[in-house]
Amino acid sequence: MAVILDGKATALRIQNDIRKQSDKFELAGVHRPHLAAVLVGEHAPSVVYVNNKIKTCERAGFHSTLIRLRKEILQDELLEEISKLNERSDIDGYIVQLPLPEHIDENAITMAIDPGKDVDGFHPVNLGKMLLGHDTFLPATPMGIMELLKTYQIDISGKHCVVIGRSNIVGTPMSILLSRKNDPGNATVTLTHSRTKNMAEITRQADLIVVAIGKANFLTADMVKTGAIVIDVGTNRVEDPGKKTGYRLTGDADFEQLIDKVSHITPVPGGVGPMTITGLLINTLKASHRRFK
Ligand code: GUN
């Protein structure tokens, strides 16, 4: 039976530490760290994610501001909102929740965010710094996963890590962080994706698999070697008439199949999700320290 990597408990512990640091701001006579989130439209999962981010800010003693905008907003109008957020000295960092409506160019929006306030770590300046190993805002999900590995003292140095999925938000930055000369890090990394031909052959060689492909139960027991570690980034909604909401969340890994084969696995929910929000808080706290300089 595998060790279940408890992202929820780990996140709460880190968030308590962040709360203590946030309380110190008030003692120092300055306002607490302040995160803003921009949500365009009504995309249901995004509404849940953003509300969770705002709620977690409260727990960590942060100020938070939710800016909700109609889905028909023009790109120029959204850019105007971004420009205001860049100017506001009371806001330390902000995020623009993705995906955006189709008529808006996500790249143009990301490029408009002040890199110093880009607590998602999505701006090319911050991604470039990450690539070079400079101090910067790391994308929240990969950072949260690295924190989880640290907490459970999982040594990946020299190990073969396979990342499934090459998104800008998770897979690509994850592959870089795992291979960096750092602790945790120093892994040999294979980045696989939807066009990979011999997926199972590759995943069976992995000591650690990060699966972020957005397909429910994609990673099955036959794709994993005995004793491997599985980090599941998926949050797929599957219909469940037994639930009040009509759906339940399922990961990209088949948890029931894998639990008896692997050495460690993250559950969904309660694994990577809470660590992602913690990553965002870590970045916002970091952004707020600029005010002391
Ligand atoms: N959509 C899905 N995940 C994320 C995230 O981490 N940040 C933003 N801004 N949008 C997302």
Side-chain angles (χ1 to χ4, degrees):
M1 184 84 168
V3 173
I4 295 177
L5 301 172
D6 190 340
K8 193 170 171 189
T10 306
L12 284 175
R13 179 184 54 74
I14 299 173
Q15 286 166 18
N16 279 337
D17 287 347
I18 293 175
R19 164 116 215 168
K20 285 182 198 139
Q21 295 188 57
S22 172
D23 290 344
K24 284 189 193 151
F25 278 63
E26 221 153 59
L27 291 172
V30 295
H31 74 73
R32 290 166 176 274
H34 187 170
L35 173 78
V38 178
L39 176 59
V40 181
E42 312 284 336
H43 181 247
S46 293
V47 174
V48 174
Y49 293 149
V50 170
N51 283 335
N52 276 337
K53 288 172 185 176
I54 296 289
K55 217 167 31 188
T56 313
C57 277
E58 282 163 23
R59 195 180 311 125
F62 285 14
H63 291 305
S64 60
T65 298
L66 173 59
I67 299 168
R68 289 201 73 161
L69 302 167
R70 66 193 199 289
K71 71 172 185 304
E72 299 80 13
I73 190 169
L74 298 176
Q75 181 163 315
D76 281 348
E77 292 173 315
L78 182 54
L79 286 169
E80 191 53 40
E81 293 290 337
I82 305 271
S83 167
K84 281 189 220 155
L85 287 167
N86 287 343
E87 294 303 318
R88 275 182 67 170
S89 60
D90 64 317
I91 288 176
D92 295 302
Y94 66 94
I95 63 159
V96 179
Q97 188 67 23
L98 305 177
L100 290 169
E102 271 186 12
H103 66 278
I104 294 176
D105 175 1
E106 283 184 359
N107 279 338
I109 300 303
T110 304
M111 292 288 285
I113 297 173
D114 173 354
K117 289 190 171 188
D118 167 39
V119 285
D120 258 331
F122 292 171
H123 191 283
V125 165
N126 291 323
L127 286 172
K129 284 184 176 176
M130 177 196 67
L131 196 66
L132 297 169
H134 296 181
D135 185 36
T136 187
F137 300 122
L138 298 176
T141 300
M143 191 213 307
I145 292 170
M146 297 309 269
E147 288 292 330
L148 200 56
L149 297 179
K150 232 188 269 177
T151 298
Y152 282 88
Q153 296 178 337
I154 292 172
D155 183 14
I156 57 166
S157 180
K159 302 278 172 62
H160 185 195
C161 296
V162 173
V163 178
I164 308 176
R166 57 181 157 185
S167 72
N168 292 339
I169 297 180
V170 184
T172 298
M174 189 77 245
S175 68
I176 293 163
L177 292 185
L178 290 167
S179 63
R180 266 199 333 192
K181 197 168 185 176
N182 213 338
D183 186 21
N186 291 311
T188 303
V189 180
T190 304
L191 179 59
T192 65
H193 44 77
S194 54
R195 303 284 176 93
T196 298
K197 287 218 170 83
N198 48 345
M199 179 70 82
E201 207 178 292
I202 296 170
T203 55
R204 274 197 291 271
Q205 295 170 30
D207 300 305
L208 180 144
I209 301 171
V210 178
V211 57
I213 199 161
K215 290 185 185 159
N217 300 327
F218 175 83
L219 190 74
T220 47
D222 59 304
M223 297 171 74
V224 171
K225 79 173 173 191
T226 302
I229 299 161
V230 172
I231 307 289
D232 188 351
V233 183
T235 45
N236 308 290
R237 288 182 174 202
V238 293
E239 274 186 38
D240 187 344
K243 293 268 179 194
K244 211 164 57 183
T245 50
Y247 69 87
R248 67 187 152 81
L249 290 183
T250 297
D252 289 351
D254 190 328
F255 188 88
E256 299 305 322
Q257 273 192 20
L258 291 169
I259 186 83
D260 292 322
K261 189 164 186 188
V262 299
S263 66
H264 301 74
I265 188 166
T266 57
V268 177
V272 172
M275 294 305 295
T276 292
I277 303 189
T278 304
L280 185 62
L281 296 181
I282 292 171
N283 280 342
T284 306
L285 187 67
K286 189 184 179 89
S288 67
H289 279 109
R290 291 192 309 180
R291 280 193 267 128
F292 290 99
K293 290 198 178 124

